[in-house]
Amino acid sequence: MQMLTKFESKSNRVKGLAFHPTRPLLAASLHNGSVQLWNYQMGTLVDRFDEHDGPVRGVAIHPTRPLLVTGGDDYKVKVWDIRPQGRKCLFTLHGHLDYVRTVQFHHEMPWIISASDDQTIRIWNSTSRNCIAILTGHSHYIMSAMFHPKEDLVVSASMDQTVRVWDISGLRKGTPQAQPGAFDTFDSFSTVKYVLEGHDRGVNFAAFHPSLPLIVSAGDDRQVKLWRMSETKAWEVDTCRGHFNNVSSALFHPRHELILSVGEDKTIRVWDMSRRTAVQTFRREHDRFWVLTAHPELNLFAAGHDNGLIVFKLERERPAFALQNDILYYIRDKYVRQYDLNTGSDVGVLSVRKLGSQWVQPRTLSYNPAERAVIVTSPADNGIYELVGLPKDQSNELRDSTADGKRGQGSSAIFVARNRFAVLDKVAQSIEIRDLSNSVTKTVKPPIQTNDIFYGGTASLLLSSPNSVVLFDIQQAKVVAELTTPPVKYAVWNSDQSMVALISKHTITIANKTLGQSCLIHETIRIKSGAWDDSGVFVYSTLNHIKYALFQG
């Protein structure tokens, strides 16, 4: 599993983080009292808010309205307008008697929850700007408090070594009309439902699973614990062990059975939720991690550390695909699917679930129309490929590719003719030509250091090296043409195979089929993909634009 860093910032220590649900914005609250608003797509600082006195530990963005809430060591909870024209503090909520650790908006009610070192959790009504509940029961600093994403529950974590689940369904029935100084009315509203004991030291963070009755918690005993709830009780399921210092935060992956955690041991760790084993560890040189958050919709995470923050994703999301006339073959969630561009029908045709690691998506797909076969490659195990025929008819039963697929080792594998395909072994620097029964008919040594191979016309290959692309004739095993380019990641041919676009990270080289005539397009922002339209215009996308280019440049 890889971690792909999308954005990094350098700043004072980051204590709180929150993604905007729809725009590419990330709020970061800092130990020096600032709150930053970053555009992580463009890499720019959009705004900053500097009204807190002392560290700001908690920050959250409203799920539907342009509001930001922060909580700090000045005992204050502040609500901000983050619309570009009116960025300002709207109001401040007073009541906590010590540092505020975390804040959060409710997903539908006008409520804000805050956790504090004064050993209370407060729930505020942001419309009336009153405190509507005080949850008491913890006997030490409360490090976090979170609303459940759907139900009327709150989970909190405390230095008293417990995680507590509170039932707040009574709050919906109306707000208590308390007289000043009379707190007894609060008690009937929210009750402790469960007290989860199991951590041997203080607990820094606890969070609900988005859909299952599960809780994850992170503590100073260096453990990440998984808990399950029923209607009547809650119990510890298991522990993920591996951090060698305090665990600052942990959360469930929104879409996979994974848990992510960060800690003062300078690591981000990914755990398999069902096996409770470590899948991957990412280390930083000098920075202890303090906070971790997940984007509500996208495969994006952010972690805050001593000297800034990182926005990252786990694994590439670009699907492996191949286009044949008006049929698009692509892989989603480890199933090969067939999408008809005319009718819009989208059906699964083959399962490739057993190809490579369960978390790593296949990287490429090559389609052979004559045999209705595909070759799928995966970067797992130093590169593997599988050659499989697709079913002729649409049966209800989706076959798994292991049933009659043929496998082998190789970093790239593509069809080069009706009954031949080429496999690149990057380590040994050899290209094998194999037939449809997967036996080697020929082995050639590439003339240059080859990192990837692409289709180059019938019985030809394009070989990509660190600083050039070579058109290679397989039959005669000789170089037909060579073109100097940065390392090429994708080669896109037009419909009559007369032009090819060679896409690198920041450049596109457009050439004819003998790599003779060519033109170079340069972009400062990363280039993602491209396609030819029927009139010979090349359309391509960068991180934040769609552009077009003509062969003449």
Side-chain angles (χ1 to χ4, degrees):
M1 175 177 282
Q2 352 156 248
M3 170 171 148
L4 305 172
T5 304
K6 292 289 156 190
F7 169 67
E8 283 205 60
S9 82
K10 291 266 182 289
S11 70
N12 192 268
R13 181 186 300 173
V14 174
K15 298 299 279 187
L17 286 170
F19 278 107
H20 191 285
T22 52
R23 305 195 27 228
L25 298 175
L26 177 71
S29 62
L30 309 186
H31 199 265
N32 63 5
S34 254
V35 179
Q36 299 176 326
L37 194 60
W38 290 95
N39 180 323
Y40 54 83
Q41 208 167 27
M42 304 294 261
T44 51
L45 182 61
V46 179
D47 212 337
R48 47 190 291 209
F49 308 99
D50 287 321
E51 282 183 33
H52 275 287
D53 189 13
V56 189
R57 296 178 191 273
V59 64
I61 293 179
H62 196 283
T64 52
R65 298 175 55 204
L67 297 174
L68 178 81
V69 61
T70 56
D73 285 10
D74 52 6
Y75 313 173
K76 290 173 185 161
V77 174
K78 286 179 178 283
V79 175
W80 311 77
D81 185 339
I82 53 169
R83 285 175 302 189
Q85 59 278 17
R87 292 205 175 107
K88 61 178 187 293
C89 180
L90 297 173
F91 55 90
T92 303
L93 301 169
H94 299 273
H96 278 300
L97 307 171
D98 207 335
Y99 297 172
V100 179
R101 293 278 176 175
T102 64
V103 287
Q104 189 198 15
F105 286 105
H106 193 268
H107 54 96
E108 56 182 14
M109 300 296 284
W111 296 343
I112 292 167
I113 191 168
S114 56
S116 166
D117 283 5
D118 64 11
Q119 306 184 17
T120 68
I121 297 161
R122 283 179 179 251
I123 298 176
W124 315 78
N125 183 319
S126 57
T127 316
S128 67
R129 305 181 187 179
N130 289 333
C131 176
I132 56 170
I134 302 179
L135 313 189
T136 56
H138 278 298
S139 57
H140 206 315
Y141 303 159
I142 301 176
M143 304 302 286
S144 77
M146 298 284 151
F147 287 118
H148 190 283
K150 299 185 186 64
E151 297 168 44
D152 288 332
L153 296 172
V154 163
V155 65
S156 61
S158 165
M159 280 290 121
D160 66 11
Q161 307 186 10
T162 68
V163 172
R164 286 172 188 244
V165 178
W166 312 76
D167 180 348
I168 55 163
S169 50
L171 273 183
R172 280 189 194 263
K173 301 187 178 71
T175 303
Q177 298 303 314
Q179 302 308 309
F183 280 123
D184 49 8
T185 47
F186 284 127
D187 296 343
S188 58
F189 270 86
S190 45
T191 53
V192 174
K193 197 169 176 186
Y194 313 119
V195 178
L196 307 179
E197 296 178 310
H199 281 285
D200 301 330
R201 304 279 281 280
V203 192
N204 289 314
F205 196 80
F208 288 113
H209 190 280
S211 53
L212 301 169
L214 299 171
I215 292 171
V216 65
S217 62
D220 284 350
D221 55 4
R222 307 178 179 185
Q223 296 179 354
V224 175
K225 286 191 183 289
L226 180 64
W227 314 79
R228 184 178 280 279
M229 297 181 291
S230 70
E231 284 306 302
T232 53
K233 60 181 202 283
W235 62 96
E236 184 179 330
V237 179
D238 210 348
T239 302
C240 304
R241 293 180 173 84
H243 278 284
F244 47 87
N245 206 329
N246 303 347
V247 192
S248 310
S249 185
L251 53 80
F252 293 103
H253 190 294
R255 271 173 304 287
H256 295 305
E257 291 214 343
L258 295 170
I259 292 170
L260 284 81
S261 62
V262 298
E264 294 180 44
D265 59 1
K266 310 182 180 68
T267 65
I268 300 175
R269 292 171 193 252
V270 183
W271 313 84
D272 181 327
M273 199 168 101
S274 45
R275 297 198 189 107
R276 269 80 72 180
T277 51
V279 178
Q280 190 57 280
T281 301
F282 306 109
R283 287 187 165 79
R284 259 189 104 78
E285 281 296 294
H286 306 296
D287 304 314
R288 297 168 298 177
F289 284 103
W290 298 102
V291 60
L292 173 70
T293 189
H295 192 286
E297 307 294 332
L298 307 171
N299 170 30
L300 274 181
F301 302 89
H305 54 75
D306 281 333
N307 287 296
L309 64 92
I310 55 175
V311 175
F312 62 96
K313 58 162 106 169
L314 295 176
E315 280 313 311
R316 301 166 83 242
E317 289 179 289
R318 177 186 311 239
F321 73 95
L323 187 62
Q324 181 64 35
N325 301 328
D326 288 343
I327 305 285
L328 173 72
Y329 295 93
Y330 71 102
I331 298 176
R332 186 176 79 210
D333 296 334
K334 303 205 90 171
Y335 284 95
V336 180
R337 300 182 68 85
Q338 174 178 314
Y339 179 80
D340 188 318
L341 300 180
N342 298 323
T343 66
S345 88
D346 183 1
V347 292
V349 287
L350 181 74
S351 154
V352 285
R353 292 181 74 96
K354 303 211 171 87
L355 183 72
S357 145
Q358 69 190 98
W359 314 118
V360 182
Q361 289 294 325
R363 198 167 176 110
T364 66
L365 182 149
S366 177
Y367 180 70
N368 178 342
E371 300 289 335
R372 197 170 151 74
V374 291
I375 298 174
V376 179
T377 70
S378 167
D381 311 329
N382 300 325
I384 48 176
Y385 70 86
E386 189 159 42
L387 165 69
V388 204
L390 295 182
K392 298 279 188 283
D393 54 335
Q394 295 306 323
S395 62
N396 297 337
E397 189 58 42
L398 264 188
R399 281 185 323 158
D400 194 281
S401 59
T402 47
D404 53 2
K406 299 178 175 59
R407 278 197 188 186
Q409 293 287 129
S411 47
S412 318
I414 51 168
F415 283 109
V416 289
R418 192 183 62 75
N419 55 1
R420 293 285 185 274
F421 65 98
V423 180
L424 167 69
D425 181 338
K426 207 154 78 175
V427 182
Q429 281 295 304
S430 74
I431 298 171
E432 295 174 341
I433 308 301
R434 292 171 172 260
D435 61 19
L436 297 179
S437 63
N438 203 19
S439 33
V440 180
T441 60
K442 180 173 193 171
T443 306
V444 280
K445 187 106 181 106
I448 50 167
Q449 163 76 36
T450 303
N451 291 333
D452 212 343
I453 55 175
F454 307 106
Y455 182 72
T458 305
S460 300
L461 285 172
L462 290 172
L463 313 181
S464 163
S465 82
N467 43 31
S468 70
V469 165
V470 163
L471 180 60
F472 186 71
D473 183 314
I474 299 167
Q475 251 47 60
Q476 304 166 15
K478 69 166 202 201
V479 174
V480 180
E482 183 164 6
L483 199 57
T484 304
T485 64
V488 169
K489 293 164 59 173
Y490 306 101
V492 185
W493 289 88
N494 68 352
S495 51
D496 64 358
Q497 310 279 325
S498 63
M499 307 286 232
V500 65
L502 307 168
I503 303 178
S504 306
K505 213 173 203 170
H506 293 284
T507 60
I508 300 175
T509 308
I510 296 182
N512 59 10
K513 64 178 179 199
T514 56
L515 302 189
Q517 161 97 37
S518 69
C519 76
L520 184 72
I521 299 147
H522 195 275
E523 289 286 344
T524 49
I525 297 177
R526 236 186 264 155
I527 299 165
K528 289 310 217 174
S529 64
W532 292 90
D533 100 329
D534 295 339
S535 52
V537 176
F538 187 67
V539 182
Y540 63 96
S541 62
T542 67
L543 266 180
N544 39 26
H545 291 102
I546 291 181
K547 303 189 172 185
Y548 68 90
L550 303 172
F551 176 56
Q552 294 73 27

